[in-house]
mmCIF file of all heavy atoms in Angstrom:
data_model
loop_
_atom_site.group_PDB
_atom_site.id
_atom_site.type_symbol
_atom_site.label_atom_id
_atom_site.label_comp_id
_atom_site.label_asym_id
_atom_site.label_seq_id
_atom_site.Cartn_x
_atom_site.Cartn_y
_atom_site.Cartn_z
ATOM 1 N N GLY V 1 5.954 4.120 -8.071
ATOM 2 C CA GLY V 1 5.542 4.477 -6.707
ATOM 3 C C GLY V 1 5.631 3.281 -5.774
ATOM 4 O O GLY V 1 6.071 3.400 -4.633
ATOM 5 N N PHE V 2 5.213 2.118 -6.264
ATOM 6 C CA PHE V 2 5.320 0.893 -5.466
ATOM 7 C C PHE V 2 6.772 0.594 -5.124
ATOM 8 O O PHE V 2 7.106 0.332 -3.971
ATOM 9 C CB PHE V 2 4.702 -0.300 -6.205
ATOM 10 C CG PHE V 2 5.068 -1.619 -5.584
ATOM 11 C CD1 PHE V 2 4.445 -2.042 -4.427
ATOM 12 C CD2 PHE V 2 6.060 -2.411 -6.144
ATOM 13 C CE1 PHE V 2 4.795 -3.254 -3.831
ATOM 14 C CE2 PHE V 2 6.430 -3.610 -5.567
ATOM 15 C CZ PHE V 2 5.788 -4.039 -4.397
ATOM 16 N N LEU V 3 7.630 0.633 -6.140
ATOM 17 C CA LEU V 3 9.045 0.337 -5.892
ATOM 18 C C LEU V 3 9.663 1.308 -4.888
ATOM 19 O O LEU V 3 10.367 0.890 -3.961
ATOM 20 C CB LEU V 3 9.836 0.368 -7.204
ATOM 21 C CG LEU V 3 9.612 -0.799 -8.146
ATOM 22 C CD1 LEU V 3 10.353 -0.579 -9.460
ATOM 23 C CD2 LEU V 3 10.058 -2.098 -7.503
ATOM 24 N N ALA V 4 9.400 2.590 -5.063
ATOM 25 C CA ALA V 4 9.949 3.597 -4.150
ATOM 26 C C ALA V 4 9.407 3.392 -2.735
ATOM 27 O O ALA V 4 10.177 3.403 -1.759
ATOM 28 C CB ALA V 4 9.621 5.004 -4.649
ATOM 29 N N SER V 5 8.098 3.176 -2.612
ATOM 30 C CA SER V 5 7.491 2.965 -1.292
ATOM 31 C C SER V 5 8.048 1.719 -0.625
ATOM 32 O O SER V 5 8.342 1.715 0.573
ATOM 33 C CB SER V 5 5.971 2.813 -1.414
ATOM 34 O OG SER V 5 5.394 3.967 -1.916
ATOM 35 N N PHE V 6 8.174 0.665 -1.404
ATOM 36 C CA PHE V 6 8.666 -0.604 -0.869
ATOM 37 C C PHE V 6 10.097 -0.474 -0.374
ATOM 38 O O PHE V 6 10.426 -0.903 0.736
ATOM 39 C CB PHE V 6 8.549 -1.690 -1.942
ATOM 40 C CG PHE V 6 8.815 -3.069 -1.432
ATOM 41 C CD1 PHE V 6 7.912 -3.692 -0.588
ATOM 42 C CD2 PHE V 6 9.964 -3.753 -1.808
ATOM 43 C CE1 PHE V 6 8.140 -4.969 -0.117
ATOM 44 C CE2 PHE V 6 10.203 -5.026 -1.347
ATOM 45 C CZ PHE V 6 9.296 -5.636 -0.495
ATOM 46 N N MET V 7 10.952 0.162 -1.180
ATOM 47 C CA MET V 7 12.362 0.312 -0.797
ATOM 48 C C MET V 7 12.499 1.205 0.437
ATOM 49 O O MET V 7 13.225 0.866 1.376
ATOM 50 C CB MET V 7 13.158 0.887 -1.965
ATOM 51 C CG MET V 7 13.052 0.085 -3.233
ATOM 52 S SD MET V 7 14.237 -1.205 -3.330
ATOM 53 C CE MET V 7 15.550 -0.361 -4.129
ATOM 54 N N ILE V 8 11.807 2.331 0.445
ATOM 55 C CA ILE V 8 11.877 3.242 1.590
ATOM 56 C C ILE V 8 11.270 2.578 2.823
ATOM 57 O O ILE V 8 11.808 2.686 3.926
ATOM 58 C CB ILE V 8 11.190 4.586 1.273
ATOM 59 C CG1 ILE V 8 11.984 5.327 0.188
ATOM 60 C CG2 ILE V 8 11.054 5.449 2.522
ATOM 61 C CD1 ILE V 8 11.263 6.518 -0.416
ATOM 62 N N GLY V 9 10.163 1.863 2.630
ATOM 63 C CA GLY V 9 9.541 1.142 3.742
ATOM 64 C C GLY V 9 10.468 0.120 4.354
ATOM 65 O O GLY V 9 10.552 -0.003 5.583
ATOM 66 N N LEU V 10 11.183 -0.621 3.522
ATOM 67 C CA LEU V 10 12.140 -1.592 4.045
ATOM 68 C C LEU V 10 13.263 -0.912 4.814
ATOM 69 O O LEU V 10 13.682 -1.387 5.879
ATOM 70 C CB LEU V 10 12.731 -2.429 2.907
ATOM 71 C CG LEU V 10 11.843 -3.535 2.347
ATOM 72 C CD1 LEU V 10 12.519 -4.200 1.150
ATOM 73 C CD2 LEU V 10 11.515 -4.574 3.409
ATOM 74 N N LEU V 11 13.751 0.204 4.287
ATOM 75 C CA LEU V 11 14.822 0.932 4.980
ATOM 76 C C LEU V 11 14.356 1.509 6.315
ATOM 77 O O LEU V 11 15.071 1.444 7.309
ATOM 78 C CB LEU V 11 15.344 2.070 4.101
ATOM 79 C CG LEU V 11 16.213 1.673 2.932
ATOM 80 C CD1 LEU V 11 16.492 2.881 2.037
ATOM 81 C CD2 LEU V 11 17.529 1.072 3.421
ATOM 82 N N VAL V 12 13.173 2.062 6.334
ATOM 83 C CA VAL V 12 12.685 2.754 7.526
ATOM 84 C C VAL V 12 12.092 1.790 8.557
ATOM 85 O O VAL V 12 12.374 1.900 9.745
ATOM 86 C CB VAL V 12 11.639 3.830 7.145
ATOM 87 C CG1 VAL V 12 10.979 4.432 8.363
ATOM 88 C CG2 VAL V 12 12.285 4.908 6.298
ATOM 89 N N GLU V 13 11.268 0.849 8.099
ATOM 90 C CA GLU V 13 10.546 -0.022 9.022
ATOM 91 C C GLU V 13 11.086 -1.442 9.103
ATOM 92 O O GLU V 13 10.714 -2.184 10.008
ATOM 93 C CB GLU V 13 9.066 -0.062 8.644
ATOM 94 C CG GLU V 13 8.389 1.282 8.797
ATOM 95 C CD GLU V 13 6.901 1.212 8.549
ATOM 96 O OE1 GLU V 13 6.304 0.123 8.678
ATOM 97 O OE2 GLU V 13 6.329 2.261 8.229
ATOM 98 N N GLY V 14 11.910 -1.847 8.163
ATOM 99 C CA GLY V 14 12.442 -3.197 8.174
ATOM 100 C C GLY V 14 11.341 -4.231 8.072
ATOM 101 O O GLY V 14 10.371 -4.064 7.337
ATOM 102 N N LYS V 15 11.463 -5.307 8.866
ATOM 103 C CA LYS V 15 10.466 -6.386 8.789
ATOM 104 C C LYS V 15 9.102 -5.977 9.333
ATOM 105 O O LYS V 15 8.102 -6.618 9.049
ATOM 106 C CB LYS V 15 10.979 -7.636 9.494
ATOM 107 C CG LYS V 15 11.173 -7.470 10.982
ATOM 108 C CD LYS V 15 11.745 -8.730 11.594
ATOM 109 C CE LYS V 15 11.992 -8.512 13.084
ATOM 110 N NZ LYS V 15 12.598 -9.655 13.714
ATOM 111 N N HIS V 16 9.029 -4.884 10.078
ATOM 112 C CA HIS V 16 7.739 -4.397 10.586
ATOM 113 C C HIS V 16 6.836 -3.895 9.454
ATOM 114 O O HIS V 16 5.636 -3.731 9.649
ATOM 115 C CB HIS V 16 7.945 -3.288 11.619
ATOM 116 C CG HIS V 16 8.653 -3.759 12.847
ATOM 117 N ND1 HIS V 16 8.054 -4.576 13.771
ATOM 118 C CD2 HIS V 16 9.916 -3.544 13.289
ATOM 119 C CE1 HIS V 16 8.918 -4.849 14.735
ATOM 120 N NE2 HIS V 16 10.055 -4.227 14.458
ATOM 121 N N LEU V 17 7.419 -3.678 8.299
ATOM 122 C CA LEU V 17 6.654 -3.248 7.131
ATOM 123 C C LEU V 17 5.545 -4.244 6.790
ATOM 124 O O LEU V 17 4.494 -3.868 6.288
ATOM 125 C CB LEU V 17 7.598 -3.080 5.927
ATOM 126 C CG LEU V 17 6.993 -2.678 4.597
ATOM 127 C CD1 LEU V 17 6.453 -1.250 4.676
ATOM 128 C CD2 LEU V 17 8.041 -2.750 3.490
ATOM 129 N N PHE V 18 5.784 -5.505 7.097
ATOM 130 C CA PHE V 18 4.847 -6.560 6.712
ATOM 131 C C PHE V 18 3.840 -6.917 7.804
ATOM 132 O O PHE V 18 3.061 -7.839 7.644
ATOM 133 C CB PHE V 18 5.622 -7.810 6.278
ATOM 134 C CG PHE V 18 6.555 -7.535 5.144
ATOM 135 C CD1 PHE V 18 7.922 -7.408 5.364
ATOM 136 C CD2 PHE V 18 6.071 -7.356 3.863
ATOM 137 C CE1 PHE V 18 8.783 -7.131 4.327
ATOM 138 C CE2 PHE V 18 6.932 -7.076 2.814
ATOM 139 C CZ PHE V 18 8.290 -6.963 3.052
ATOM 140 N N MET V 19 3.854 -6.204 8.918
ATOM 141 C CA MET V 19 2.916 -6.464 10.014
ATOM 142 C C MET V 19 1.620 -5.701 9.737
ATOM 143 O O MET V 19 1.570 -4.481 9.883
ATOM 144 C CB MET V 19 3.519 -6.043 11.337
ATOM 145 C CG MET V 19 4.850 -6.674 11.605
ATOM 146 S SD MET V 19 4.836 -7.464 13.171
ATOM 147 C CE MET V 19 6.426 -8.249 13.161
ATOM 148 N N LEU V 20 0.610 -6.413 9.326
ATOM 149 C CA LEU V 20 -0.666 -5.796 8.940
ATOM 150 C C LEU V 20 -1.794 -6.298 9.835
ATOM 151 O O LEU V 20 -2.861 -6.688 9.367
ATOM 152 C CB LEU V 20 -0.968 -6.099 7.471
ATOM 153 C CG LEU V 20 0.112 -5.684 6.482
ATOM 154 C CD1 LEU V 20 -0.200 -6.200 5.094
ATOM 155 C CD2 LEU V 20 0.270 -4.169 6.465
ATOM 156 N N ASP V 21 -1.558 -6.272 11.129
ATOM 157 C CA ASP V 21 -2.534 -6.772 12.097
ATOM 158 C C ASP V 21 -3.855 -6.016 11.998
ATOM 159 O O ASP V 21 -3.885 -4.794 11.891
ATOM 160 C CB ASP V 21 -1.986 -6.640 13.524
ATOM 161 C CG ASP V 21 -0.711 -7.441 13.731
ATOM 162 O OD1 ASP V 21 -0.498 -8.397 12.976
ATOM 163 O OD2 ASP V 21 0.065 -7.091 14.638
ATOM 164 N N GLU V 22 -4.922 -6.777 12.036
ATOM 165 C CA GLU V 22 -6.279 -6.245 12.108
ATOM 166 C C GLU V 22 -6.623 -5.253 10.995
ATOM 167 O O GLU V 22 -7.380 -4.315 11.213
ATOM 168 C CB GLU V 22 -6.520 -5.604 13.473
ATOM 169 C CG GLU V 22 -6.366 -6.578 14.612
ATOM 170 C CD GLU V 22 -6.602 -5.940 15.959
ATOM 171 O OE1 GLU V 22 -7.452 -5.023 16.051
ATOM 172 O OE2 GLU V 22 -5.953 -6.355 16.919
ATOM 173 N N MET V 23 -6.068 -5.436 9.830
ATOM 174 C CA MET V 23 -6.411 -4.563 8.707
ATOM 175 C C MET V 23 -7.652 -5.111 8.019
ATOM 176 O O MET V 23 -7.719 -6.296 7.708
ATOM 177 C CB MET V 23 -5.261 -4.460 7.709
ATOM 178 C CG MET V 23 -5.509 -3.396 6.674
ATOM 179 S SD MET V 23 -3.994 -2.923 5.870
ATOM 180 C CE MET V 23 -4.205 -3.705 4.302
ATOM 181 N N LYS V 24 -8.612 -4.257 7.794
ATOM 182 C CA LYS V 24 -9.853 -4.676 7.147
ATOM 183 C C LYS V 24 -9.558 -5.013 5.678
ATOM 184 O O LYS V 24 -8.802 -4.307 5.016
ATOM 185 C CB LYS V 24 -10.889 -3.577 7.251
ATOM 186 C CG LYS V 24 -11.158 -3.198 8.704
ATOM 187 C CD LYS V 24 -12.535 -2.695 8.882
ATOM 188 C CE LYS V 24 -12.736 -2.145 10.260
ATOM 189 N NZ LYS V 24 -13.121 -2.978 11.274
ATOM 190 N N PRO V 25 -10.162 -6.081 5.161
ATOM 191 C CA PRO V 25 -9.842 -6.538 3.798
ATOM 192 C C PRO V 25 -10.078 -5.490 2.713
ATOM 193 O O PRO V 25 -9.327 -5.426 1.757
ATOM 194 C CB PRO V 25 -10.769 -7.737 3.596
ATOM 195 C CG PRO V 25 -11.142 -8.193 4.964
ATOM 196 C CD PRO V 25 -11.086 -6.986 5.851
ATOM 197 N N TRP V 26 -11.101 -4.638 2.849
ATOM 198 C CA TRP V 26 -11.387 -3.677 1.779
ATOM 199 C C TRP V 26 -10.344 -2.571 1.694
ATOM 200 O O TRP V 26 -10.250 -1.900 0.694
ATOM 201 C CB TRP V 26 -12.797 -3.112 1.878
ATOM 202 C CG TRP V 26 -13.121 -2.419 3.169
ATOM 203 C CD1 TRP V 26 -12.799 -1.140 3.513
ATOM 204 C CD2 TRP V 26 -13.830 -2.959 4.267
ATOM 205 N NE1 TRP V 26 -13.260 -0.846 4.768
ATOM 206 C CE2 TRP V 26 -13.908 -1.955 5.259
ATOM 207 C CE3 TRP V 26 -14.413 -4.193 4.535
ATOM 208 C CZ2 TRP V 26 -14.540 -2.152 6.477
ATOM 209 C CZ3 TRP V 26 -15.032 -4.371 5.750
ATOM 210 C CH2 TRP V 26 -15.097 -3.364 6.694
ATOM 211 N N TYR V 27 -9.526 -2.394 2.719
ATOM 212 C CA TYR V 27 -8.465 -1.382 2.648
ATOM 213 C C TYR V 27 -7.392 -1.758 1.627
ATOM 214 O O TYR V 27 -6.666 -0.909 1.145
ATOM 215 C CB TYR V 27 -7.819 -1.160 4.009
ATOM 216 C CG TYR V 27 -8.748 -0.553 5.040
ATOM 217 C CD1 TYR V 27 -8.508 -0.731 6.377
ATOM 218 C CD2 TYR V 27 -9.870 0.182 4.672
ATOM 219 C CE1 TYR V 27 -9.352 -0.176 7.338
ATOM 220 C CE2 TYR V 27 -10.716 0.728 5.611
ATOM 221 C CZ TYR V 27 -10.450 0.550 6.949
ATOM 222 O OH TYR V 27 -11.276 1.090 7.881
ATOM 223 N N TRP V 28 -7.314 -3.043 1.296
ATOM 224 C CA TRP V 28 -6.345 -3.500 0.311
ATOM 225 C C TRP V 28 -6.645 -2.931 -1.083
ATOM 226 O O TRP V 28 -5.785 -2.918 -1.947
ATOM 227 C CB TRP V 28 -6.340 -5.026 0.239
ATOM 228 C CG TRP V 28 -5.731 -5.659 1.453
ATOM 229 C CD1 TRP V 28 -6.348 -5.913 2.642
ATOM 230 C CD2 TRP V 28 -4.386 -6.095 1.614
ATOM 231 N NE1 TRP V 28 -5.470 -6.487 3.521
ATOM 232 C CE2 TRP V 28 -4.257 -6.619 2.917
ATOM 233 C CE3 TRP V 28 -3.277 -6.111 0.781
ATOM 234 C CZ2 TRP V 28 -3.073 -7.137 3.409
ATOM 235 C CZ3 TRP V 28 -2.096 -6.640 1.270
ATOM 236 C CH2 TRP V 28 -1.990 -7.130 2.556
ATOM 237 N N PHE V 29 -7.869 -2.473 -1.306
ATOM 238 C CA PHE V 29 -8.264 -1.971 -2.621
ATOM 239 C C PHE V 29 -7.830 -0.528 -2.867
ATOM 240 O O PHE V 29 -8.137 0.040 -3.909
ATOM 241 C CB PHE V 29 -9.778 -2.130 -2.825
ATOM 242 C CG PHE V 29 -10.178 -3.566 -2.966
ATOM 243 C CD1 PHE V 29 -10.712 -4.252 -1.891
ATOM 244 C CD2 PHE V 29 -9.986 -4.239 -4.160
ATOM 245 C CE1 PHE V 29 -11.058 -5.585 -2.004
ATOM 246 C CE2 PHE V 29 -10.322 -5.560 -4.287
ATOM 247 C CZ PHE V 29 -10.869 -6.242 -3.204
ATOM 248 N N SER V 30 -7.119 0.048 -1.951
ATOM 249 C CA SER V 30 -6.633 1.419 -2.106
ATOM 250 C C SER V 30 -5.807 1.579 -3.380
ATOM 251 O O SER V 30 -5.922 2.578 -4.085
ATOM 252 C CB SER V 30 -5.798 1.814 -0.881
ATOM 253 O OG SER V 30 -5.236 3.074 -1.059
ATOM 254 N N GLY V 31 -4.993 0.595 -3.688
ATOM 255 C CA GLY V 31 -4.184 0.648 -4.910
ATOM 256 C C GLY V 31 -5.030 0.655 -6.166
ATOM 257 O O GLY V 31 -4.714 1.326 -7.142
ATOM 258 N N VAL V 32 -6.147 -0.076 -6.132
ATOM 259 C CA VAL V 32 -7.061 -0.095 -7.271
ATOM 260 C C VAL V 32 -7.682 1.293 -7.438
ATOM 261 O O VAL V 32 -7.834 1.793 -8.553
ATOM 262 C CB VAL V 32 -8.148 -1.179 -7.091
ATOM 263 C CG1 VAL V 32 -9.158 -1.133 -8.215
ATOM 264 C CG2 VAL V 32 -7.514 -2.558 -6.992
ATOM 265 N N ILE V 33 -8.015 1.923 -6.327
ATOM 266 C CA ILE V 33 -8.541 3.286 -6.380
ATOM 267 C C ILE V 33 -7.490 4.217 -6.972
ATOM 268 O O ILE V 33 -7.805 5.124 -7.737
ATOM 269 C CB ILE V 33 -8.985 3.754 -4.979
ATOM 270 C CG1 ILE V 33 -10.181 2.914 -4.506
ATOM 271 C CG2 ILE V 33 -9.327 5.234 -4.974
ATOM 272 C CD1 ILE V 33 -10.532 3.100 -3.043
ATOM 273 N N GLY V 34 -6.222 3.972 -6.642
ATOM 274 C CA GLY V 34 -5.122 4.769 -7.197
ATOM 275 C C GLY V 34 -5.089 4.728 -8.717
ATOM 276 O O GLY V 34 -4.759 5.728 -9.368
ATOM 277 N N VAL V 35 -5.441 3.588 -9.310
ATOM 278 C CA VAL V 35 -5.513 3.492 -10.775
ATOM 279 C C VAL V 35 -6.549 4.481 -11.292
ATOM 280 O O VAL V 35 -6.297 5.238 -12.240
ATOM 281 C CB VAL V 35 -5.855 2.049 -11.228
ATOM 282 C CG1 VAL V 35 -6.135 1.997 -12.717
ATOM 283 C CG2 VAL V 35 -4.737 1.095 -10.854
ATOM 284 N N GLY V 36 -7.704 4.501 -10.660
ATOM 285 C CA GLY V 36 -8.745 5.443 -11.059
ATOM 286 C C GLY V 36 -8.301 6.886 -10.898
ATOM 287 O O GLY V 36 -8.581 7.733 -11.750
ATOM 288 N N VAL V 37 -7.589 7.169 -9.818
ATOM 289 C CA VAL V 37 -7.088 8.529 -9.577
ATOM 290 C C VAL V 37 -6.176 8.968 -10.713
ATOM 291 O O VAL V 37 -6.365 10.037 -11.310
ATOM 292 C CB VAL V 37 -6.333 8.625 -8.224
ATOM 293 C CG1 VAL V 37 -5.609 9.950 -8.093
ATOM 294 C CG2 VAL V 37 -7.286 8.415 -7.058
ATOM 295 N N VAL V 38 -5.188 8.152 -11.033
ATOM 296 C CA VAL V 38 -4.211 8.533 -12.056
ATOM 297 C C VAL V 38 -4.877 8.664 -13.422
ATOM 298 O O VAL V 38 -4.674 9.657 -14.132
ATOM 299 C CB VAL V 38 -3.025 7.543 -12.103
ATOM 300 C CG1 VAL V 38 -2.097 7.854 -13.262
ATOM 301 C CG2 VAL V 38 -2.253 7.580 -10.788
ATOM 302 N N VAL V 39 -5.686 7.692 -13.803
ATOM 303 C CA VAL V 39 -6.340 7.740 -15.116
ATOM 304 C C VAL V 39 -7.246 8.963 -15.220
ATOM 305 O O VAL V 39 -7.194 9.710 -16.210
ATOM 306 C CB VAL V 39 -7.137 6.437 -15.394
ATOM 307 C CG1 VAL V 39 -8.029 6.587 -16.616
ATOM 308 C CG2 VAL V 39 -6.183 5.272 -15.587
ATOM 309 N N CYS V 40 -8.060 9.185 -14.199
ATOM 310 C CA CYS V 40 -8.985 10.332 -14.240
ATOM 311 C C CYS V 40 -8.231 11.665 -14.248
ATOM 312 O O CYS V 40 -8.615 12.589 -14.980
ATOM 313 C CB CYS V 40 -9.954 10.276 -13.064
ATOM 314 S SG CYS V 40 -11.167 8.949 -13.206
ATOM 315 N N LEU V 41 -7.165 11.769 -13.458
ATOM 316 C CA LEU V 41 -6.388 13.011 -13.452
ATOM 317 C C LEU V 41 -5.727 13.280 -14.796
ATOM 318 O O LEU V 41 -5.785 14.394 -15.317
ATOM 319 C CB LEU V 41 -5.318 12.962 -12.353
ATOM 320 C CG LEU V 41 -5.756 13.429 -10.994
ATOM 321 C CD1 LEU V 41 -4.692 13.125 -9.948
ATOM 322 C CD2 LEU V 41 -6.047 14.908 -10.995
ATOM 323 N N VAL V 42 -5.107 12.263 -15.348
ATOM 324 C CA VAL V 42 -4.430 12.438 -16.632
ATOM 325 C C VAL V 42 -5.429 12.868 -17.704
ATOM 326 O O VAL V 42 -5.180 13.796 -18.481
ATOM 327 C CB VAL V 42 -3.679 11.146 -17.030
ATOM 328 C CG1 VAL V 42 -3.252 11.173 -18.477
ATOM 329 C CG2 VAL V 42 -2.468 10.929 -16.129
ATOM 330 N N GLN V 43 -6.575 12.208 -17.740
ATOM 331 C CA GLN V 43 -7.581 12.533 -18.751
ATOM 332 C C GLN V 43 -8.200 13.915 -18.525
ATOM 333 O O GLN V 43 -8.456 14.649 -19.475
ATOM 334 C CB GLN V 43 -8.673 11.463 -18.790
ATOM 335 C CG GLN V 43 -8.198 10.134 -19.339
ATOM 336 C CD GLN V 43 -7.675 10.263 -20.761
ATOM 337 O OE1 GLN V 43 -8.283 10.886 -21.613
ATOM 338 N NE2 GLN V 43 -6.517 9.665 -21.024
#
């Protein structure tokens, strides 16, 4: 999912993909929550 998102993001947004102005630090933990989502769903 990361690879697909990254590649599509680069194609669609280019260098703007990396502009993360004013993003709250705890939003970065979304990927960690994704681990819980996948593990809990599979189980």
Side-chain angles (χ1 to χ4, degrees):
F2 167 77
L3 287 175
S5 297
F6 189 71
M7 304 273 270
I8 293 168
L10 283 175
L11 286 172
V12 172
E13 296 185 23
K15 65 183 177 183
H16 296 288
L17 178 68
F18 302 103
M19 305 233 174
L20 304 172
D21 299 337
E22 300 180 34
M23 189 161 106
K24 302 209 188 272
W26 58 81
Y27 294 156
W28 289 83
F29 290 100
S30 175
V32 176
I33 294 169
V35 171
V37 170
V38 174
V39 169
C40 289
L41 273 171
V42 166
Q43 291 300 314

